[in-house]
Structure formats: structure tokens, C-alpha cells
Amino acid sequence: MLILVLCMAAIVTLYVLNPSEHQLMPKCPLKLLTGLSCPGCGFQRALHAVLHGHIVQAVRFNYWLVFALPYLLLLIIEKWMLRGKWQLWAERWLESSAIIYTYVITFFVWFVVRNIYDI
């Protein structure tokens, strides 16, 4: 229950405050220390844009989220909403080696690509 309350508080905060304009919003430690953009950089701005219905703008903040967010949502559904044989089926598929390797590889490829091309 506490996790749900914290998530809702974070969503409300991101809806009200634009991360690009407020110092209150946390900054990426990797970007602050090295100047490199991590694969998650832009997530706060993207979520703010999504919450305001600006999907295209959200994608421009972080292209990798088009891949990562649906996978994350499926994992949340699998862990918290499914039960029985459906949960086992989803777990076998979502947590298979092939899916996890694909996720990790795209994570690092996006890290390299976004810093080479300054995306």
C-alpha cells in the first residue's frame, strides 16, 4: 500500500511540476558526474508530457522508453494482477532469457547511440 501511495505522489508531482523548469526535481547523477546521458535520461520529462497528453513530445525526450515502458507495465501486470496459470505463462515469457537479454542489450545500445549522436 505504501508503494502505491508513493507512486501516486510521484505521479501527481510530475503532473504539477515540469521537470525542465523546477530545481526540486532530481537530476541524473550520471549526467551530473560525467556529462553523459544515461538510457533513462528524459524519463521525468517524458512522463510529464504523457500525463499532459503529449505523447509525441514524450517519445522525443527518450526514444528507448517506447520499448522500456510497455515491458515495465507488462511486468507490473504480471506480478500484481495475474494469478494462477496466466501468471506462470506471463512469467515464463516476460522473464525468459531471450527477453531479458534483449532488454539489457537495447539498454546499452541506446546508451551508446544517444551519446554518440547527442539524442
Side-chain angles (χ1 to χ4, degrees):
M1 186 61 150
L2 179 62
I3 292 173
L4 182 62
V5 170
L6 291 173
C7 286
M8 290 306 294
I11 289 171
V12 169
T13 301
L14 278 171
Y15 181 82
V16 173
L17 301 178
N18 185 342
S20 300
E21 299 171 358
H22 293 279
Q23 294 299 320
L24 173 69
M25 304 306 284
K27 305 299 182 226
C28 176
L30 182 70
K31 181 96 169 175
L32 291 173
L33 291 172
T34 67
L36 296 174
S37 295
C38 77
C41 280
F43 176 75
Q44 291 178 34
R45 291 173 290 153
L47 188 52
H48 176 79
V50 166
L51 292 172
H52 288 275
H54 306 292
I55 306 301
V56 173
Q57 184 182 18
V59 170
R60 288 184 185 139
F61 283 129
N62 190 327
Y63 294 108
W64 188 68
L65 294 177
V66 171
F67 175 73
L69 284 181
Y71 181 68
L72 177 63
L73 290 174
L74 287 172
L75 283 174
I76 290 169
I77 290 168
E78 178 243 318
K79 292 294 183 193
W80 290 356
M81 297 178 170
L82 297 179
R83 295 288 175 254
K85 68 177 182 176
W86 289 106
Q87 186 178 28
L88 291 174
W89 176 83
E91 184 178 312
R92 262 186 261 126
W93 186 76
L94 290 171
E95 298 177 28
S96 69
S97 297
I99 297 294
I100 291 174
Y101 286 137
T102 301
Y103 189 85
V104 170
I105 288 168
T106 61
F107 179 87
F108 286 107
V109 167
W110 175 240
F111 176 68
V112 171
V113 168
R114 84 176 314 184
N115 285 293
I116 288 174
Y117 295 106
D118 197 28
I119 297 174

Coordinates of all heavy atoms in Angstrom, one line a residue, residues 23-72:
Q23 N 13.8 23.2 -10.0 CA 15.0 22.7 -9.3 C 14.7 21.6 -8.3 O 15.6 20.8 -8.0 CB 15.8 23.8 -8.6 CG 16.3 24.9 -9.5 CD 17.3 24.3 -10.5 OE1 18.1 23.5 -10.2 NE2 17.2 24.8 -11.8
L24 N 13.4 21.5 -7.9 CA 13.0 20.5 -6.9 C 13.2 19.1 -7.5 O 13.5 18.1 -6.8 CB 11.6 20.7 -6.5 CG 10.9 19.6 -5.7 CD1 11.5 19.6 -4.3 CD2 9.4 19.9 -5.6
M25 N 13.0 18.9 -8.8 CA 13.1 17.6 -9.4 C 14.5 17.1 -9.4 O 15.4 17.8 -9.8 CB 12.5 17.7 -10.9 CG 11.1 18.3 -10.9 SD 9.9 17.4 -9.9 CE 9.6 16.0 -10.8
P26 N 14.7 15.8 -9.1 CA 16.0 15.2 -9.1 C 16.7 15.2 -10.5 O 16.0 15.0 -11.5 CB 15.8 13.8 -8.5 CG 14.4 13.5 -8.7 CD 13.6 14.8 -8.8
K27 N 18.0 15.3 -10.5 CA 18.7 15.3 -11.7 C 19.5 14.0 -11.8 O 19.7 13.3 -10.8 CB 19.7 16.4 -11.8 CG 19.1 17.8 -11.6 CD 18.1 18.2 -12.6 CE 17.5 19.5 -12.4 NZ 16.1 19.6 -12.5
C28 N 19.8 13.6 -13.0 CA 20.5 12.3 -13.3 C 21.9 12.4 -12.7 O 22.7 13.3 -13.2 CB 20.6 12.0 -14.8 SG 21.5 10.5 -15.2
P29 N 22.3 11.5 -11.8 CA 23.7 11.6 -11.2 C 24.8 11.3 -12.3 O 25.8 11.9 -12.2 CB 23.7 10.5 -10.1 CG 22.3 10.0 -10.0 CD 21.5 10.5 -11.1
L30 N 24.5 10.4 -13.2 CA 25.5 10.1 -14.2 C 25.7 11.3 -15.1 O 26.9 11.7 -15.4 CB 25.0 8.9 -15.1 CG 26.0 8.5 -16.2 CD1 27.3 7.9 -15.6 CD2 25.4 7.6 -17.2
K31 N 24.7 12.0 -15.5 CA 24.8 13.2 -16.3 C 25.5 14.3 -15.5 O 26.4 15.0 -16.1 CB 23.4 13.7 -16.7 CG 23.4 14.9 -17.6 CD 23.3 14.5 -19.0 CE 23.0 15.7 -19.9 NZ 23.0 15.4 -21.2
L32 N 25.2 14.5 -14.2 CA 25.9 15.5 -13.4 C 27.4 15.2 -13.3 O 28.2 16.1 -13.3 CB 25.3 15.6 -12.1 CG 23.9 16.2 -12.0 CD1 23.3 16.0 -10.6 CD2 23.9 17.6 -12.5
L33 N 27.8 13.9 -13.1 CA 29.2 13.5 -12.9 C 30.0 13.4 -14.2 O 31.2 13.8 -14.2 CB 29.2 12.2 -12.2 CG 28.7 12.2 -10.7 CD1 28.7 10.8 -10.2 CD2 29.7 13.0 -9.9
T34 N 29.4 12.9 -15.3 CA 30.2 12.6 -16.5 C 29.8 13.5 -17.7 O 30.5 13.5 -18.6 CB 30.0 11.1 -16.9 OG1 28.7 10.9 -17.3 CG2 30.4 10.2 -15.7
G35 N 28.6 14.0 -17.7 CA 28.1 14.7 -18.8 C 27.4 13.8 -19.8 O 26.9 14.3 -20.9
L36 N 27.4 12.5 -19.6 CA 26.8 11.5 -20.5 C 25.4 11.3 -20.1 O 25.0 11.4 -18.9 CB 27.5 10.2 -20.4 CG 29.0 10.1 -20.8 CD1 29.6 8.8 -20.5 CD2 29.1 10.5 -22.3
S37 N 24.5 11.1 -21.1 CA 23.1 10.8 -20.8 C 22.9 9.3 -20.7 O 23.3 8.6 -21.5 CB 22.3 11.3 -22.0 OG 22.3 12.7 -22.2
C38 N 22.3 8.9 -19.6 CA 22.0 7.5 -19.3 C 20.8 7.1 -20.1 O 20.1 8.0 -20.6 CB 21.8 7.3 -17.8 SG 20.2 7.7 -17.2
P39 N 20.5 5.9 -20.3 CA 19.3 5.4 -21.0 C 18.0 6.0 -20.4 O 17.0 6.1 -21.1 CB 19.4 3.9 -21.0 CG 20.8 3.6 -20.8 CD 21.4 4.7 -20.0
G40 N 18.0 6.3 -19.2 CA 16.8 6.8 -18.5 C 16.7 8.3 -18.6 O 15.6 8.9 -18.2
C41 N 17.7 9.0 -19.0 CA 17.6 10.5 -19.0 C 16.4 10.9 -19.9 O 16.3 10.4 -21.0 CB 18.9 11.1 -19.6 SG 20.2 11.2 -18.3
G42 N 15.6 11.8 -19.4 CA 14.5 12.3 -20.1 C 13.2 11.6 -19.6 O 12.1 12.0 -20.0
F43 N 13.3 10.6 -18.7 CA 12.2 9.9 -18.3 C 11.2 10.8 -17.5 O 10.0 10.7 -17.8 CB 12.6 8.7 -17.3 CG 11.4 8.0 -16.7 CD1 10.7 7.1 -17.5 CD2 11.1 8.2 -15.4 CE1 9.6 6.5 -16.9 CE2 10.0 7.6 -14.9 CZ 9.2 6.7 -15.6
Q44 N 11.7 11.7 -16.6 CA 10.8 12.6 -15.9 C 10.0 13.5 -16.9 O 8.8 13.7 -16.8 CB 11.5 13.4 -14.9 CG 12.1 12.6 -13.7 CD 12.9 13.5 -12.8 OE1 12.6 14.7 -12.6 NE2 13.9 12.9 -12.2
R45 N 10.8 14.1 -17.8 CA 10.1 15.0 -18.8 C 9.2 14.2 -19.7 O 8.1 14.7 -20.0 CB 11.2 15.6 -19.6 CG 12.1 16.6 -18.8 CD 13.2 17.2 -19.6 NE 14.2 16.1 -19.8 CZ 15.0 16.0 -20.8 NH1 15.0 16.9 -21.8 NH2 15.8 15.0 -20.9
A46 N 9.5 13.0 -20.0 CA 8.6 12.2 -20.9 C 7.3 11.8 -20.1 O 6.2 12.0 -20.6 CB 9.3 10.9 -21.3
L47 N 7.5 11.5 -18.8 CA 6.3 11.1 -18.0 C 5.4 12.4 -17.8 O 4.2 12.3 -17.9 CB 6.7 10.5 -16.7 CG 5.5 10.0 -15.9 CD1 4.7 9.0 -16.7 CD2 6.1 9.3 -14.6
H48 N 6.0 13.5 -17.6 CA 5.3 14.8 -17.5 C 4.5 15.0 -18.8 O 3.3 15.4 -18.8 CB 6.3 15.9 -17.2 CG 5.6 17.3 -17.2 ND1 4.9 17.7 -16.1 CD2 5.6 18.3 -18.1 CE1 4.4 18.9 -16.3 NE2 4.8 19.3 -17.5
A49 N 5.1 14.8 -19.9 CA 4.5 15.1 -21.2 C 3.3 14.1 -21.4 O 2.2 14.5 -21.9 CB 5.5 14.9 -22.4
V50 N 3.5 12.8 -21.1 CA 2.5 11.8 -21.2 C 1.3 12.2 -20.3 O 0.1 12.1 -20.7 CB 3.0 10.4 -20.8 CG1 1.8 9.4 -20.6 CG2 3.9 9.9 -21.9
L51 N 1.5 12.6 -19.1 CA 0.5 13.0 -18.2 C -0.4 14.2 -18.7 O -1.5 14.3 -18.3 CB 1.0 13.3 -16.8 CG 1.6 12.1 -16.0 CD1 2.3 12.6 -14.8 CD2 0.5 11.1 -15.7
H52 N 0.2 14.9 -19.6 CA -0.5 16.1 -20.2 C -1.0 15.8 -21.6 O -1.4 16.7 -22.3 CB 0.4 17.3 -20.2 CG 0.6 17.9 -18.8 ND1 -0.3 18.8 -18.2 CD2 1.5 17.7 -17.8 CE1 0.1 19.1 -17.0 NE2 1.2 18.4 -16.7
G53 N -0.9 14.5 -22.0 CA -1.4 14.1 -23.3 C -0.5 14.4 -24.5 O -0.9 14.3 -25.6
H54 N 0.8 14.7 -24.2 CA 1.7 15.0 -25.3 C 2.6 13.8 -25.6 O 3.8 13.8 -25.2 CB 2.5 16.2 -25.0 CG 1.7 17.4 -24.6 ND1 0.9 18.1 -25.5 CD2 1.6 18.0 -23.4 CE1 0.3 19.1 -24.9 NE2 0.7 19.1 -23.6
I55 N 2.1 12.8 -26.3 CA 2.8 11.5 -26.5 C 4.0 11.7 -27.4 O 5.1 11.2 -27.1 CB 1.8 10.5 -27.1 CG1 0.6 10.3 -26.2 CG2 2.5 9.1 -27.3 CD1 0.8 9.9 -24.8
V56 N 3.9 12.4 -28.5 CA 5.0 12.6 -29.4 C 6.1 13.3 -28.7 O 7.3 12.9 -28.9 CB 4.5 13.3 -30.7 CG1 5.7 13.7 -31.6 CG2 3.5 12.5 -31.4
Q57 N 5.8 14.3 -27.9 CA 6.9 15.0 -27.2 C 7.5 14.1 -26.2 O 8.8 14.1 -26.0 CB 6.2 16.2 -26.5 CG 7.3 17.1 -25.7 CD 6.6 18.2 -25.0 OE1 5.4 18.2 -24.7 NE2 7.4 19.2 -24.6
A58 N 6.8 13.2 -25.6 CA 7.3 12.3 -24.6 C 8.3 11.4 -25.3 O 9.4 11.1 -24.7 CB 6.2 11.5 -23.9
V59 N 8.0 10.9 -26.5 CA 8.9 10.0 -27.2 C 10.2 10.7 -27.6 O 11.2 10.1 -27.5 CB 8.2 9.4 -28.4 CG1 9.1 8.7 -29.4 CG2 7.0 8.5 -28.0
R60 N 10.1 12.0 -27.9 CA 11.3 12.7 -28.3 C 12.2 12.9 -27.1 O 13.4 13.1 -27.2 CB 10.9 14.1 -28.8 CG 10.3 14.0 -30.2 CD 10.0 15.4 -30.8 NE 9.3 15.2 -32.1 CZ 8.3 15.9 -32.5 NH1 7.9 16.9 -31.7 NH2 7.8 15.7 -33.6
F61 N 11.7 12.9 -25.9 CA 12.5 13.1 -24.7 C 13.4 11.8 -24.5 O 14.5 11.9 -23.9 CB 11.7 13.4 -23.4 CG 11.2 14.8 -23.3 CD1 9.9 15.0 -23.1 CD2 12.1 15.8 -23.5 CE1 9.4 16.3 -23.0 CE2 11.6 17.2 -23.4 CZ 10.3 17.4 -23.1
N62 N 12.8 10.7 -24.8 CA 13.6 9.4 -24.6 C 13.0 8.3 -25.5 O 12.0 7.7 -25.1 CB 13.6 9.0 -23.2 CG 14.6 7.9 -22.9 OD1 14.8 7.0 -23.8 ND2 15.2 7.9 -21.8
Y63 N 13.6 8.1 -26.7 CA 13.1 7.1 -27.6 C 13.1 5.7 -27.0 O 12.2 4.9 -27.4 CB 13.9 7.1 -28.9 CG 13.8 8.4 -29.7 CD1 14.9 9.3 -29.7 CD2 12.6 8.7 -30.3 CE1 14.8 10.5 -30.4 CE2 12.5 9.9 -31.0 CZ 13.6 10.8 -31.1 OH 13.5 12.0 -31.7
W64 N 14.0 5.3 -26.2 CA 14.1 4.0 -25.6 C 12.8 3.7 -24.8 O 12.5 2.5 -24.6 CB 15.4 3.8 -24.8 CG 15.6 2.4 -24.4 CD1 15.9 1.4 -25.1 CD2 15.6 2.0 -23.0 NE1 16.0 0.2 -24.4 CE2 15.8 0.6 -23.1 CE3 15.3 2.5 -21.8 CZ2 15.9 -0.2 -21.9 CZ3 15.3 1.8 -20.7 CH2 15.6 0.4 -20.7
L65 N 12.2 4.7 -24.2 CA 11.0 4.4 -23.4 C 9.9 3.8 -24.2 O 9.0 3.1 -23.6 CB 10.5 5.7 -22.7 CG 11.5 6.3 -21.7 CD1 11.0 7.6 -21.2 CD2 11.8 5.3 -20.6
V66 N 9.9 3.9 -25.5 CA 8.8 3.3 -26.3 C 9.0 1.8 -26.2 O 8.0 1.1 -26.2 CB 9.0 3.7 -27.8 CG1 8.1 2.9 -28.7 CG2 8.7 5.2 -28.0
F67 N 10.2 1.3 -26.0 CA 10.4 -0.1 -25.7 C 10.3 -0.5 -24.3 O 9.7 -1.5 -23.9 CB 11.8 -0.5 -26.3 CG 12.2 -1.9 -26.0 CD1 11.6 -3.0 -26.7 CD2 13.1 -2.2 -25.0 CE1 12.0 -4.3 -26.4 CE2 13.5 -3.5 -24.8 CZ 12.9 -4.5 -25.4
A68 N 10.9 0.3 -23.4 CA 11.0 0.0 -22.0 C 9.7 0.1 -21.2 O 9.4 -0.7 -20.4 CB 12.1 0.9 -21.4
L69 N 8.9 1.1 -21.5 CA 7.7 1.3 -20.7 C 6.7 0.2 -20.9 O 6.1 -0.3 -19.9 CB 7.1 2.7 -20.9 CG 7.8 3.8 -20.3 CD1 7.1 5.1 -20.6 CD2 7.9 3.6 -18.8
P70 N 6.4 -0.2 -22.1 CA 5.4 -1.4 -22.2 C 5.9 -2.6 -21.5 O 5.2 -3.3 -20.9 CB 5.4 -1.6 -23.7 CG 5.7 -0.3 -24.3 CD 6.7 0.3 -23.4
Y71 N 7.2 -2.9 -21.6 CA 7.8 -4.1 -20.9 C 7.6 -3.9 -19.4 O 7.2 -4.8 -18.7 CB 9.3 -4.2 -21.2 CG 9.9 -5.4 -20.6 CD1 9.5 -6.7 -20.9 CD2 10.9 -5.3 -19.6 CE1 10.1 -7.8 -20.3 CE2 11.4 -6.4 -19.0 CZ 11.1 -7.6 -19.3 OH 11.6 -8.7 -18.7
L72 N 7.9 -2.7 -18.8 CA 7.7 -2.5 -17.4 C 6.3 -2.6 -17.0 O 6.0 -3.2 -16.0 CB 8.2 -1.1 -17.1 CG 8.0 -0.6 -15.6 CD1 8.8 -1.5 -14.7 CD2 8.4 0.8 -15.5

